[in-house]
Amino acid sequence: MAAMSELNADFEDVNGETIVTLSKKKEQKDGPLKGVNFINHNDTIRTNSTITTTCVSVRLPFNGELYGYDVEIPNGHQIDVNQTVITPMRDEIRIRIVKIGQFTLHG
């Protein structure tokens, strides 16, 4: 499998949570991911993605390529793996990260 092609990531902190919205970059939207509806790949995304206390890794293997993004949790901090959720939608993948303690996540 080729190197991972990163998706765009937008971070928003709200009430002890961070919502990370992953979207296609322009070259992905116009090229290999054109017309791809992420919700149609829900099972593949959930199977290939991982959530640990220190990292959320979203993965979509598609047509021999790998797309995704890693949200690294700062040293000394953790997230609640049972409440953190990856939700594929039509044109984006939303990650709801529930933080343990106060800290800020950003890309």
Side-chain angles (χ1 to χ4, degrees):
M1 179 126 346
M4 183 174 70
S5 178
E6 275 197 347
L7 298 167
N8 280 330
D10 182 48
F11 290 73
E12 179 184 2
D13 274 324
V14 189
N15 300 329
E17 298 179 358
T18 298
I19 305 299
V20 182
T21 304
L22 302 179
S23 59
K24 303 170 195 172
K25 293 182 177 178
K26 181 170 176 20
E27 59 271 12
Q28 295 166 337
K29 193 183 300 187
D30 294 341
L33 293 179
K34 184 175 185 172
V36 171
N37 184 337
F38 289 128
I39 203 161
N40 292 340
H41 300 277
N42 184 30
D43 290 342
T44 302
I45 292 168
R46 290 180 188 271
T47 300
N48 290 282
S49 299
T50 58
I51 300 171
T52 68
T53 57
T54 58
C55 186
V56 178
S57 298
V58 175
R59 298 289 183 270
L60 171 61
F62 183 75
N63 285 344
E65 298 291 326
L66 182 63
Y67 300 91
Y69 192 85
D70 290 334
V71 180
E72 300 281 345
I73 308 308
N75 285 341
H77 297 286
Q78 293 185 346
I79 61 172
D80 185 328
V81 296
N82 296 315
Q83 293 187 54
T84 295
V85 181
I86 299 168
T87 308
M89 303 172 88
R90 185 173 179 270
D91 289 321
E92 60 192 28
I93 300 168
R94 224 173 253 151
I95 310 166
R96 180 176 151 256
I97 298 174
V98 178
K99 300 183 278 188
I100 298 173
Q102 293 287 89
F103 60 94
T104 302
L105 290 175
H106 48 80

XYZ file of all heavy atoms in Angstrom:
839
model
N 0.850 -1.180 0.000
C 0.000 0.000 0.000
C 0.895 1.242 0.000
O 1.932 1.280 0.623
C -0.915 -0.043 1.226
C -1.809 1.138 1.317
S -3.595 0.970 1.469
C -4.041 -0.653 1.078
N 0.461 2.256 -0.701
C 1.214 3.506 -0.828
C 1.180 4.297 0.474
O 0.441 3.970 1.393
C 0.620 4.332 -1.960
N 1.957 5.354 0.537
C 1.951 6.234 1.697
C 0.552 6.837 1.860
O -0.205 6.953 0.896
C 2.979 7.345 1.509
N 0.228 7.238 3.078
C -1.099 7.781 3.339
C -1.241 9.192 2.804
O -0.374 10.027 2.986
C -1.386 7.773 4.838
C -2.791 8.251 5.163
S -3.210 8.102 6.902
C -2.179 9.367 7.626
N -2.352 9.443 2.149
C -2.712 10.780 1.703
C -3.600 11.386 2.783
O -4.682 10.869 3.074
C -3.466 10.682 0.366
O -3.867 11.957 -0.063
N -3.111 12.458 3.411
C -3.856 13.061 4.517
C -5.077 13.812 4.025
O -5.052 14.470 2.984
C -2.973 14.032 5.303
C -2.155 13.371 6.359
C -1.615 14.361 7.391
O -1.675 15.588 7.164
O -1.120 13.885 8.415
N -6.138 13.734 4.822
C -7.338 14.533 4.593
C -7.162 15.863 5.310
O -6.328 15.984 6.216
C -8.564 13.795 5.150
C -8.878 12.440 4.500
C -9.900 11.673 5.329
C -9.382 12.641 3.080
N -7.938 16.879 4.923
C -7.939 18.152 5.641
C -8.558 17.933 7.012
O -9.503 17.150 7.140
C -8.789 19.193 4.901
C -8.070 19.814 3.746
O -6.852 19.941 3.741
N -8.815 20.217 2.736
N -8.064 18.635 8.030
C -8.613 18.510 9.378
C -8.930 19.891 9.939
O -8.116 20.800 9.865
C -7.628 17.791 10.289
N -10.144 20.024 10.487
C -10.582 21.251 11.140
C -10.946 20.899 12.578
O -11.700 19.952 12.807
C -11.792 21.830 10.393
C -12.271 23.129 10.997
O -11.431 24.007 11.243
O -13.496 23.257 11.237
N -10.392 21.639 13.544
C -10.575 21.342 14.964
C -11.462 22.395 15.616
O -11.277 23.590 15.399
C -9.218 21.355 15.680
C -8.329 20.209 15.304
C -7.702 20.157 14.063
C -8.104 19.171 16.190
C -6.874 19.106 13.712
C -7.272 18.109 15.856
C -6.661 18.074 14.612
N -12.404 21.930 16.455
C -13.262 22.842 17.213
C -13.424 22.303 18.626
O -13.918 21.189 18.829
C -14.633 22.956 16.538
C -15.592 23.868 17.258
C -16.977 23.892 16.626
O -17.213 23.182 15.646
O -17.814 24.631 17.158
N -12.975 23.092 19.626
C -13.102 22.695 21.032
C -14.439 23.170 21.584
O -14.787 24.339 21.456
C -11.977 23.317 21.868
C -10.724 22.472 21.862
O -10.851 21.236 21.854
O -9.623 23.042 21.860
N -15.191 22.218 22.207
C -16.494 22.539 22.778
C -16.708 21.707 24.042
O -16.752 20.483 23.973
C -17.643 22.196 21.793
C -18.977 22.719 22.289
C -17.366 22.696 20.405
N -16.837 22.355 25.201
C -17.237 21.691 26.446
C -16.497 20.386 26.750
O -17.123 19.343 26.926
C -18.739 21.409 26.441
C -19.566 22.663 26.306
O -19.157 23.720 26.759
N -20.713 22.552 25.686
N -15.178 20.415 26.815
C -14.413 19.222 27.165
C -14.283 18.207 26.043
O -13.814 17.104 26.251
N -14.743 18.585 24.866
C -14.630 17.717 23.694
C -13.958 18.493 22.570
O -13.945 19.717 22.578
C -16.010 17.278 23.192
C -16.800 16.476 24.170
C -18.169 16.090 23.630
O -18.530 16.470 22.503
O -18.874 15.393 24.362
N -13.403 17.761 21.641
C -12.917 18.376 20.403
C -13.608 17.660 19.265
O -13.622 16.431 19.206
C -11.387 18.246 20.255
O -10.755 18.935 21.341
C -10.910 18.848 18.941
N -14.210 18.435 18.375
C -14.807 17.887 17.167
C -13.805 18.122 16.042
O -13.413 19.256 15.772
C -16.146 18.574 16.816
C -17.129 18.503 17.995
C -16.731 17.973 15.539
C -17.504 17.117 18.426
N -13.349 17.025 15.435
C -12.424 17.115 14.313
C -13.206 16.726 13.062
O -13.805 15.649 13.009
C -11.206 16.182 14.492
C -10.245 16.331 13.324
C -10.499 16.463 15.811
N -13.225 17.620 12.094
C -13.920 17.354 10.843
C -12.881 17.120 9.757
O -12.076 18.010 9.462
C -14.837 18.529 10.457
O -15.746 18.765 11.540
C -15.615 18.230 9.192
N -12.879 15.905 9.198
C -11.960 15.562 8.114
C -12.692 15.708 6.790
O -13.815 15.220 6.639
C -11.467 14.118 8.267
C -10.763 13.775 9.574
C -10.363 12.301 9.583
C -9.549 14.656 9.782
N -12.058 16.373 5.842
C -12.658 16.553 4.519
C -11.603 16.314 3.442
O -10.409 16.297 3.718
C -13.255 17.961 4.396
O -12.244 18.934 4.602
N -12.083 16.151 2.225
C -11.184 15.902 1.097
C -10.451 17.185 0.721
O -11.042 18.263 0.699
C -11.986 15.437 -0.118
C -12.812 14.208 0.128
C -13.750 13.966 -1.044
C -14.822 12.970 -0.681
N -15.853 12.855 -1.711
N -9.160 17.056 0.419
C -8.410 18.176 -0.143
C -8.869 18.373 -1.581
O -9.430 17.453 -2.190
C -6.905 17.884 -0.112
C -6.345 17.823 1.284
C -4.855 17.578 1.274
C -4.324 17.589 2.707
N -2.896 17.311 2.764
N -8.649 19.554 -2.125
C -9.120 19.868 -3.476
C -8.656 18.833 -4.500
O -9.449 18.356 -5.306
C -8.666 21.269 -3.894
C -9.152 21.641 -5.293
C -8.919 23.077 -5.630
C -9.301 23.478 -7.022
N -10.222 22.681 -7.774
N -7.381 18.452 -4.441
C -6.871 17.489 -5.422
C -7.490 16.100 -5.232
O -7.610 15.337 -6.183
C -5.343 17.422 -5.405
C -4.722 17.028 -4.086
C -4.437 18.193 -3.144
O -4.908 19.331 -3.374
O -3.739 17.960 -2.143
N -7.899 15.772 -3.999
C -8.579 14.495 -3.755
C -10.028 14.562 -4.252
O -10.536 13.617 -4.845
C -8.572 14.161 -2.256
C -7.190 13.918 -1.698
C -7.167 13.932 -0.183
O -8.031 14.507 0.468
N -6.148 13.299 0.388
N -10.664 15.708 -4.000
C -12.061 15.909 -4.396
C -12.207 15.898 -5.921
O -13.186 15.387 -6.460
C -12.548 17.256 -3.844
C -14.038 17.458 -3.898
C -14.438 18.836 -3.402
C -14.007 19.052 -1.971
N -14.504 20.304 -1.398
N -11.219 16.464 -6.607
C -11.256 16.528 -8.078
C -10.681 15.272 -8.718
O -10.821 15.068 -9.914
C -10.466 17.746 -8.580
C -11.103 19.063 -8.165
O -12.298 19.071 -7.811
O -10.388 20.088 -8.180
N -9.994 14.446 -7.924
C -9.311 13.279 -8.471
C -9.810 11.962 -7.909
O -10.974 11.596 -8.108
N -8.942 11.250 -7.150
C -9.250 9.873 -6.751
C -10.457 9.709 -5.828
O -11.046 8.635 -5.784
C -7.970 9.397 -6.060
C -7.242 10.634 -5.675
C -7.634 11.681 -6.682
N -10.844 10.753 -5.087
C -12.001 10.637 -4.191
C -13.237 11.349 -4.748
O -14.220 11.556 -4.028
C -11.664 11.182 -2.794
C -10.631 10.387 -2.001
C -10.371 11.036 -0.645
C -11.062 8.941 -1.820
N -13.192 11.703 -6.021
C -14.322 12.397 -6.648
C -15.568 11.515 -6.559
O -15.552 10.345 -6.939
C -14.014 12.704 -8.115
C -15.099 13.505 -8.801
C -14.699 13.879 -10.202
C -15.751 14.782 -10.807
N -15.314 15.328 -12.084
N -16.627 12.078 -6.005
C -17.891 11.363 -5.897
C -17.945 10.326 -4.789
O -18.955 9.650 -4.620
N -16.866 10.184 -4.012
C -16.857 9.201 -2.934
C -17.667 9.745 -1.752
O -17.427 10.847 -1.271
C -15.411 8.869 -2.482
C -15.421 8.020 -1.220
C -14.673 8.153 -3.597
N -18.654 8.953 -1.338
C -19.494 9.275 -0.200
C -18.949 8.465 0.976
O -19.028 7.237 0.973
C -20.938 8.877 -0.543
C -21.933 9.257 0.519
O -21.578 9.441 1.678
N -23.179 9.344 0.129
N -18.379 9.145 1.981
C -17.729 8.442 3.091
C -18.675 7.490 3.822
O -18.258 6.447 4.293
C -17.111 9.426 4.085
C -15.895 10.138 3.563
C -15.800 11.517 3.615
C -14.825 9.433 3.036
C -14.672 12.177 3.154
C -13.688 10.085 2.562
C -13.622 11.464 2.622
N -19.952 7.843 3.922
C -20.888 6.983 4.652
C -21.024 5.612 3.987
O -21.275 4.609 4.651
C -22.259 7.673 4.855
C -22.960 7.044 6.054
C -23.106 7.618 3.624
C -24.058 7.891 6.634
N -20.810 5.552 2.674
C -20.857 4.269 1.962
C -19.668 3.378 2.320
O -19.656 2.200 1.988
C -20.889 4.479 0.448
C -22.191 5.107 -0.008
O -23.198 5.064 0.689
N -22.170 5.709 -1.182
N -18.654 3.952 2.966
C -17.447 3.217 3.365
C -17.346 3.122 4.888
O -16.263 2.921 5.440
C -16.204 3.889 2.773
C -16.235 3.945 1.291
N -15.856 2.888 0.501
C -16.662 4.914 0.445
C -16.025 3.213 -0.774
N -16.512 4.436 -0.829
N -18.477 3.259 5.560
C -18.553 3.254 7.018
C -17.848 2.042 7.626
O -16.996 2.185 8.501
C -20.024 3.306 7.450
C -20.186 3.405 8.945
O -19.354 3.965 9.644
N -21.278 2.856 9.449
N -18.183 0.834 7.169
C -17.587 -0.386 7.737
C -16.075 -0.429 7.520
O -15.322 -0.795 8.427
C -18.234 -1.641 7.137
C -19.671 -1.818 7.608
O -20.059 -1.200 8.618
O -20.412 -2.570 6.941
N -15.628 -0.048 6.332
C -14.194 -0.043 6.030
C -13.452 0.952 6.913
O -12.392 0.648 7.457
C -13.955 0.296 4.543
O -14.640 -0.667 3.746
C -12.487 0.297 4.193
N -14.022 2.148 7.077
C -13.392 3.179 7.913
C -13.317 2.700 9.358
O -12.270 2.775 10.004
C -14.143 4.520 7.799
C -13.950 5.102 6.393
C -13.672 5.509 8.871
C -14.857 6.277 6.063
N -14.414 2.164 9.878
C -14.445 1.708 11.281
C -13.489 0.531 11.509
O -12.822 0.451 12.532
C -15.860 1.344 11.697
C -16.747 2.566 11.821
C -18.159 2.197 12.236
N -19.045 3.338 12.161
C -19.261 4.189 13.150
N -18.624 4.033 14.286
N -20.092 5.195 13.008
N -13.391 -0.381 10.546
C -12.512 -1.544 10.664
C -11.044 -1.151 10.654
O -10.230 -1.719 11.380
C -12.785 -2.540 9.516
O -14.141 -2.960 9.597
C -11.881 -3.755 9.590
N -10.670 -0.168 9.838
C -9.265 0.203 9.653
C -8.787 1.330 10.565
O -7.589 1.604 10.620
C -9.027 0.579 8.191
C -9.106 -0.641 7.300
O -8.182 -1.426 7.235
N -10.238 -0.827 6.640
N -9.696 1.991 11.257
C -9.341 3.102 12.142
C -9.127 2.590 13.562
O -9.654 1.544 13.936
C -10.446 4.151 12.124
O -10.608 4.667 10.817
N -8.336 3.343 14.340
C -8.091 2.964 15.734
C -8.244 4.164 16.651
O -7.946 5.305 16.264
C -6.677 2.371 15.935
O -5.706 3.331 15.513
C -6.496 1.075 15.173
N -8.710 3.873 17.855
C -8.829 4.896 18.897
C -8.101 4.362 20.118
O -8.453 3.320 20.648
C -10.304 5.178 19.253
C -11.085 5.672 18.030
C -10.388 6.198 20.394
C -12.589 5.762 18.240
N -7.039 5.080 20.538
C -6.333 4.748 21.769
C -6.367 5.982 22.661
O -6.826 7.042 22.234
C -4.872 4.323 21.506
O -4.129 5.465 21.049
C -4.790 3.195 20.491
N -5.856 5.861 23.872
C -5.868 7.005 24.793
C -4.977 8.145 24.316
O -5.140 9.277 24.751
C -5.432 6.576 26.211
O -4.146 5.977 26.126
C -6.429 5.623 26.833
N -4.049 7.860 23.393
C -3.091 8.883 22.970
C -3.140 9.227 21.484
O -2.383 10.084 21.025
C -1.656 8.449 23.314
O -1.397 7.197 22.674
C -1.465 8.307 24.821
N -4.028 8.573 20.708
C -4.091 8.856 19.268
C -5.399 8.326 18.671
O -5.850 7.238 19.015
C -2.913 8.210 18.549
S -2.804 8.627 16.800
N -5.978 9.115 17.769
C -7.110 8.645 16.965
C -6.613 8.599 15.523
O -6.198 9.619 14.973
C -8.337 9.579 17.076
C -9.475 9.078 16.198
C -8.791 9.719 18.523
N -6.620 7.405 14.941
C -6.142 7.218 13.569
C -7.315 6.806 12.690
O -7.902 5.746 12.893
C -5.075 6.126 13.515
O -3.961 6.503 14.283
N -7.649 7.657 11.730
C -8.730 7.366 10.785
C -8.094 6.879 9.496
O -7.160 7.510 8.981
C -9.597 8.624 10.531
C -10.634 8.361 9.469
C -10.259 9.077 11.823
N -8.589 5.753 8.987
C -8.023 5.166 7.768
C -9.119 4.738 6.805
O -10.092 4.102 7.213
C -7.177 3.926 8.096
C -5.979 4.201 8.979
C -4.916 4.971 8.218
N -3.726 5.182 9.006
C -3.526 6.234 9.788
N -4.438 7.155 9.922
N -2.398 6.370 10.445
N -8.931 5.076 5.520
C -9.805 4.601 4.450
C -8.930 4.094 3.315
O -8.389 4.875 2.533
C -10.731 5.710 3.932
C -11.523 5.364 2.663
C -12.440 4.165 2.887
C -12.305 6.561 2.170
N -8.749 2.759 3.232
C -8.076 2.215 2.049
C -9.093 2.242 0.897
O -10.220 1.796 1.063
C -7.733 0.780 2.450
C -8.358 0.530 3.782
C -9.054 1.760 4.225
N -8.691 2.813 -0.249
C -9.618 2.957 -1.364
C -8.850 2.883 -2.683
O -7.932 3.670 -2.900
C -10.372 4.294 -1.250
C -11.397 4.510 -2.307
C -12.610 3.836 -2.277
C -11.158 5.399 -3.351
C -13.566 4.037 -3.252
C -12.097 5.600 -4.338
C -13.301 4.920 -4.288
N -9.211 1.942 -3.526
C -8.573 1.764 -4.836
C -7.051 1.697 -4.757
O -6.342 2.336 -5.540
C -8.998 2.872 -5.805
C -10.414 2.671 -6.318
O -10.981 1.589 -6.196
N -10.972 3.710 -6.881
N -6.529 0.948 -3.799
C -5.077 0.770 -3.680
C -4.356 1.931 -3.024
O -3.133 1.911 -2.896
N -5.080 2.955 -2.615
C -4.494 4.115 -1.934
C -4.999 4.137 -0.496
O -6.024 3.534 -0.177
C -4.896 5.417 -2.631
C -4.421 5.535 -4.063
C -2.912 5.682 -4.183
O -2.293 6.315 -3.305
O -2.349 5.151 -5.156
N -4.291 4.859 0.369
C -4.692 4.989 1.762
C -4.925 6.461 2.078
O -4.064 7.306 1.826
C -3.605 4.419 2.682
C -3.910 4.448 4.175
C -5.124 3.581 4.496
C -2.695 3.962 4.964
N -6.106 6.757 2.623
C -6.469 8.119 3.011
C -6.752 8.124 4.499
O -7.236 7.128 5.051
C -7.715 8.578 2.243
C -7.502 8.561 0.755
C -7.809 7.426 0.010
C -6.933 9.649 0.108
C -7.570 7.386 -1.354
C -6.692 9.616 -1.255
C -7.015 8.484 -1.977
O -6.770 8.440 -3.317
N -6.463 9.239 5.151
C -6.755 9.296 6.574
C -6.117 10.476 7.262
O -5.675 11.440 6.626
N -6.090 10.375 8.598
C -5.521 11.434 9.417
C -5.276 10.875 10.816
O -6.045 10.039 11.296
C -6.482 12.632 9.503
C -5.846 13.867 10.078
C -5.126 14.733 9.266
C -5.934 14.157 11.429
C -4.522 15.855 9.789
C -5.340 15.285 11.968
C -4.633 16.130 11.138
O -4.027 17.252 11.665
N -4.195 11.331 11.466
C -3.902 10.967 12.846
C -4.067 12.190 13.733
O -3.471 13.235 13.460
C -2.459 10.465 12.998
C -2.242 9.117 12.345
O -3.219 8.352 12.210
O -1.088 8.822 11.979
N -4.890 12.059 14.776
C -5.016 13.107 15.784
C -4.185 12.647 16.977
O -4.559 11.707 17.679
C -6.483 13.328 16.214
C -6.562 14.430 17.269
C -7.363 13.659 15.013
N -3.042 13.290 17.156
C -2.136 12.945 18.251
C -2.560 13.711 19.511
O -2.806 14.917 19.458
C -0.699 13.330 17.894
C -0.162 12.642 16.650
C 0.280 11.209 16.901
O 0.452 10.820 18.072
O 0.452 10.484 15.915
N -2.624 13.012 20.626
C -2.972 13.623 21.907
C -1.668 14.081 22.560
O -0.693 13.317 22.597
C -3.712 12.609 22.817
C -4.898 11.964 22.067
C -4.165 13.270 24.120
C -5.871 12.921 21.413
N -1.609 15.335 23.069
C -0.363 15.840 23.660
C 0.130 14.950 24.804
O -0.672 14.364 25.537
C -0.749 17.224 24.187
C -1.989 17.602 23.455
C -2.688 16.321 23.120
N 1.454 14.875 24.959
C 2.070 14.096 26.044
C 1.468 14.486 27.389
O 1.257 15.670 27.655
C 3.582 14.315 26.084
C 4.284 13.571 24.975
O 3.743 12.638 24.389
N 5.502 13.993 24.681
N 1.199 13.476 28.211
C 0.662 13.730 29.545
C -0.849 13.840 29.583
O -1.430 14.020 30.657
N -1.512 13.747 28.439
C -2.969 13.848 28.378
C -3.545 12.593 27.750
O -2.847 11.843 27.071
C -3.395 15.074 27.562
C -2.957 16.359 28.172
N -3.547 16.901 29.288
C -1.959 17.208 27.835
C -2.947 18.035 29.605
N -1.959 18.244 28.738
N -4.849 12.378 27.981
C -5.524 11.214 27.427
C -6.936 11.569 27.006
O -7.480 12.601 27.407
C -5.605 10.085 28.467
C -4.279 9.495 28.838
C -4.443 8.293 29.775
O -5.499 8.067 30.340
N -3.380 7.533 29.923
N -7.516 10.653 26.202
C -8.909 10.800 25.811
C -9.673 9.565 26.281
O -9.088 8.528 26.577
C -9.064 10.976 24.284
C -8.531 9.765 23.531
C -8.382 12.266 23.828
C -8.825 9.774 22.033
N -10.986 9.700 26.358
C -11.857 8.591 26.744
C -12.154 7.768 25.491
O -12.913 8.198 24.620
C -13.149 9.151 27.352
C -14.061 8.068 27.892
O -14.065 6.945 27.334
O -14.789 8.354 28.856
N -11.550 6.585 25.402
C -11.692 5.766 24.189
C -13.108 5.221 24.021
O -13.536 4.936 22.904
C -10.672 4.606 24.131
C -9.256 5.131 24.052
C -10.834 3.664 25.296
N -13.844 5.064 25.117
C -15.196 4.518 25.029
C -16.221 5.542 24.541
O -17.258 5.167 24.006
C -15.636 3.954 26.386
C -14.757 2.785 26.796
O -14.462 1.911 25.993
N -14.310 2.785 28.032
N -15.932 6.823 24.735
C -16.872 7.859 24.306
C -16.436 8.577 23.031
O -17.214 9.312 22.436
C -17.082 8.881 25.425
C -17.795 8.290 26.631
C -18.121 9.366 27.637
O -18.745 10.366 27.313
N -17.672 9.172 28.872
N -15.200 8.379 22.610
C -14.703 8.988 21.381
C -15.261 8.199 20.203
O -15.214 6.977 20.188
C -13.163 9.003 21.373
O -12.731 9.866 22.440
C -12.599 9.497 20.054
N -15.824 8.914 19.215
C -16.543 8.258 18.118
C -16.102 8.820 16.760
O -15.945 10.033 16.604
C -18.068 8.479 18.272
C -18.834 7.785 17.160
C -18.552 8.001 19.627
N -15.926 7.921 15.785
C -15.640 8.291 14.401
C -16.930 8.090 13.610
O -17.478 6.988 13.601
C -14.514 7.421 13.816
C -13.224 7.613 14.615
C -14.299 7.736 12.331
C -12.138 6.588 14.305
N -17.414 9.161 12.958
C -18.674 9.086 12.227
C -18.491 9.521 10.776
O -18.364 10.716 10.501
C -19.749 9.981 12.901
O -19.834 9.651 14.282
C -21.107 9.804 12.236
N -18.467 8.568 9.839
C -18.419 8.940 8.421
C -19.743 9.576 7.999
O -20.817 9.104 8.382
C -18.206 7.599 7.707
C -17.674 6.675 8.770
C -18.327 7.130 10.036
N -19.653 10.651 7.232
C -20.824 11.335 6.700
C -20.660 11.397 5.180
O -19.752 10.785 4.635
C -20.955 12.704 7.351
C -21.046 12.586 8.878
S -20.965 14.142 9.715
C -22.681 14.568 9.715
N -21.492 12.154 4.517
C -21.439 12.196 3.051
C -20.082 12.700 2.541
O -19.375 11.987 1.848
C -22.574 13.074 2.516
C -22.654 13.076 1.015
C -23.906 13.812 0.540
N -23.939 13.809 -0.909
C -23.401 14.757 -1.663
N -22.789 15.785 -1.116
N -23.468 14.681 -2.970
N -19.743 13.935 2.878
C -18.524 14.549 2.348
C -17.429 14.754 3.385
O -16.420 15.397 3.100
C -18.858 15.901 1.706
C -19.621 15.726 0.404
O -19.293 14.799 -0.354
O -20.543 16.519 0.149
N -17.649 14.267 4.599
C -16.653 14.454 5.651
C -16.738 13.300 6.640
O -17.693 12.523 6.645
C -16.860 15.793 6.360
C -18.218 15.935 7.015
C -18.522 17.361 7.452
O -18.010 18.317 6.849
O -19.287 17.505 8.410
N -15.697 13.220 7.458
C -15.667 12.245 8.544
C -15.516 13.055 9.823
O -14.591 13.864 9.945
C -14.482 11.262 8.398
C -14.597 10.495 7.081
C -14.437 10.303 9.585
C -13.340 9.721 6.705
N -16.442 12.863 10.745
C -16.407 13.619 11.988
C -15.897 12.740 13.115
O -16.311 11.597 13.250
C -17.808 14.128 12.318
C -17.699 15.552 12.751
C -18.958 16.273 12.969
N -19.133 17.224 11.866
C -20.278 17.615 11.425
N -21.376 17.148 11.929
N -20.346 18.484 10.451
N -14.980 13.299 13.912
C -14.462 12.594 15.081
C -14.848 13.417 16.311
O -14.491 14.591 16.407
C -12.927 12.462 15.041
C -12.445 11.918 13.702
C -12.443 11.581 16.186
C -10.951 12.097 13.488
N -15.593 12.797 17.219
C -15.938 13.443 18.487
C -14.996 12.864 19.533
O -15.099 11.694 19.897
C -17.385 13.158 18.868
C -17.801 13.792 20.167
C -19.302 13.529 20.433
N -19.521 13.499 21.846
C -19.712 12.414 22.575
N -19.728 11.228 22.011
N -19.896 12.494 23.863
N -14.038 13.689 19.972
C -13.024 13.261 20.933
C -13.402 13.786 22.311
O -13.533 14.999 22.501
C -11.628 13.774 20.531
C -11.246 13.190 19.165
C -10.600 13.426 21.597
C -9.957 13.742 18.599
N -13.599 12.871 23.256
C -13.905 13.245 24.632
C -12.598 13.237 25.413
O -11.949 12.192 25.550
C -14.942 12.283 25.249
C -15.218 12.657 26.696
C -16.227 12.297 24.427
N -12.229 14.422 25.907
C -10.946 14.583 26.589
C -11.068 14.279 28.073
O -12.113 14.513 28.683
C -10.440 16.013 26.396
C -10.223 16.377 24.934
C -9.664 17.756 24.765
C -10.764 18.784 24.840
N -10.300 20.131 24.495
N -10.006 13.743 28.649
C -9.900 13.560 30.101
C -9.023 14.699 30.579
O -7.839 14.755 30.280
C -9.290 12.179 30.440
C -10.201 11.067 29.916
C -9.085 12.065 31.948
C -9.617 9.674 30.044
N -9.611 15.639 31.288
C -8.872 16.823 31.742
C -8.949 17.929 30.712
O -9.607 17.823 29.681
N -8.264 19.022 31.019
C -8.289 20.210 30.164
C -7.040 20.283 29.301
O -5.932 20.310 29.823
C -8.379 21.465 31.025
C -9.690 21.603 31.768
C -10.810 21.986 30.831
O -11.462 21.121 30.248
N -11.044 23.256 30.677
N -7.206 20.307 28.001
C -6.121 20.549 27.066
C -6.725 20.858 25.714
O -7.902 20.621 25.479
C -5.137 19.368 26.991
C -5.741 18.059 26.552
C -5.709 17.674 25.227
C -6.335 17.217 27.477
C -6.261 16.464 24.817
C -6.887 16.009 27.091
C -6.850 15.631 25.760
N -5.920 21.404 24.832
C -6.400 21.807 23.515
C -5.781 20.924 22.447
O -4.590 20.620 22.500
C -6.026 23.290 23.250
O -6.597 24.084 24.283
C -6.556 23.750 21.911
N -6.604 20.514 21.507
C -6.118 19.732 20.358
C -6.127 20.634 19.137
O -7.022 21.458 18.958
C -7.037 18.533 20.101
C -6.995 17.422 21.133
C -8.043 16.374 20.815
C -5.621 16.781 21.160
N -5.137 20.451 18.289
C -5.086 21.188 17.034
C -4.231 20.403 16.045
O -3.474 19.521 16.421
C -4.549 22.607 17.216
C -3.289 22.672 18.017
N -2.060 22.405 17.487
C -3.086 22.928 19.340
C -1.148 22.520 18.430
N -1.736 22.834 19.560
N -4.394 20.717 14.771
C -3.682 19.985 13.725
C -2.324 20.542 13.452
O -1.865 21.488 13.974
